[in-house]
Amino acid sequence: NLLAASLSRHHSDRSVDFLVSSIDCVAMFKRFDSSNDVSTSTQVKSSVQRGIKSQITTSHPSVTEEILDAFLPKKPPLVQYKIGPHLMLYCKQIEGSGNGDEPIFFQHRDGPILPTLKFVHKYPLVEFTKVTVDRGAIPYLLGGANVMCPGLTNVGGEMPADSDEGPGLAKGDGVVIYAEGKESALAVGFMKMSSADIRKKNKGTGIELCHFIGDGLWDTEEIN
């Protein structure tokens, strides 16, 4: 991949890994077809599942361990599907289904574990870490474009407040993306810069998109 090679030559920090990861991730999900793109599946060990839950509660403090236990019980265990060389899709067995598994979270390389939009919509009272973009950003989001800083700082945009202790959102944090005037989430991604830097600089890419309404993952009801 020429872009990845070029980036690696000029940068060495973790943000570059995130950037290349997300480019691969959004491209994969844009054309994702579970009948062709899933290579292997394995049941997630209980110790690994505990680690996944820990990462989720760290990234989304309002999602407590008790809430996760209700949605992700130990039995039946999660099933991990490998997609391409670096993407993992975590699924739970669909109730009443013999073989079908429902995608609920995904992770690319060492990036944050992110919820699928179907899972977010299914449980609207579960408070994942979120941002809101202004109305003008909606068509770009639905086309799979990244969120630019003004979409978060314009009237209608919203991010967690910053404080003297630190930014409301740190660089690399995973977020669920809502839009002004819309009740349901439109996309999922991770912060390319902190919320404090977005407010200060107000230019460039604020959020790298990974998954959005209308992509291949959104169109996937279950994986067999």
Side-chain angles (χ1 to χ4, degrees), residues 178-201:
Y178 289 76
E180 178 187 9
K182 300 294 182 182
E183 204 171 293
S184 300
L186 300 184
V188 176
F190 67 85
M191 302 294 290
K192 278 286 291 166
M193 60 179 83
S194 72
S195 51
D197 284 342
I198 289 174
R199 291 184 170 105
K200 180 180 178 180
K201 298 177 181 178

Side-chain angles (χ1 to χ4, degrees), residues 117 121 138 141-142 177-179 182 184-188 211-213:
L117 284 166
H121 288 190
I138 294 174
L141 267 185
L142 296 179
I177 306 167
Y178 289 76
K182 300 294 182 182
S184 300
L186 300 184
V188 176
H211 165 42
F212 60 95
I213 288 180

Side-chain angles (χ1 to χ4, degrees), residues 21-34 36-37 83 87 89 106 108 117 138-146 186-188 208-220:
S21 168
S22 182
I23 290 171
D24 293 343
C25 187
V26 74
M28 172 62 76
F29 282 148
K30 210 166 193 177
R31 61 176 186 270
F32 177 67
D33 179 352
S34 62
N36 296 319
D37 296 329
I83 303 168
L87 180 62
L89 189 60
F106 63 92
H108 202 276
L117 284 166
I138 294 174
Y140 299 100
L141 267 185
L142 296 179
N146 295 326
L186 300 184
V188 176
E208 196 83 28
L209 212 67
C210 293
H211 165 42
F212 60 95
I213 288 180
D215 68 10
L217 180 57
W218 169 260
D219 292 331
T220 301

